[in-house]
Amino acid sequence: MTSHEDEPATRRTPFAEKPKTRDAPEPAETPPTPEQLQSGKAVLLNWCIMLAGFGAIALAAYWLLG
């Protein structure tokens, strides 16, 4: 067990990092395509389907345990 009176542990040197080169600029992130984005209506529909599924599972569990 250590206390505040003990000497601190020796500092470890970090691993060698890759040297950064300025030859090529970093590629900019490409914006998402329309197929990757969902509209608000689609997200709301997915949430409603998910909640209905959980409700059905809860009703089935209640009926089976009842």
Side-chain angles (χ1 to χ4, degrees):
M1 187 170 198
T2 61
S3 69
H4 65 280
E5 296 170 355
D6 293 338
E7 289 185 22
T10 57
R11 184 166 183 243
R12 296 183 181 184
T13 57
F15 292 111
E17 294 182 3
K18 247 181 158 178
K20 296 181 180 179
T21 59
R22 296 268 181 184
D23 297 341
E26 294 182 13
E29 293 184 22
T30 57
T33 61
E35 292 83 23
Q36 293 174 338
L37 295 177
Q38 288 186 341
S39 68
K41 289 181 183 180
V43 173
L44 181 63
L45 179 64
N46 288 339
W47 274 95
C48 290
I49 292 170
M50 183 182 67
L51 290 176
F54 283 140
I57 292 171
L59 283 175
Y62 179 75
W63 180 72
L64 286 172
L65 295 175

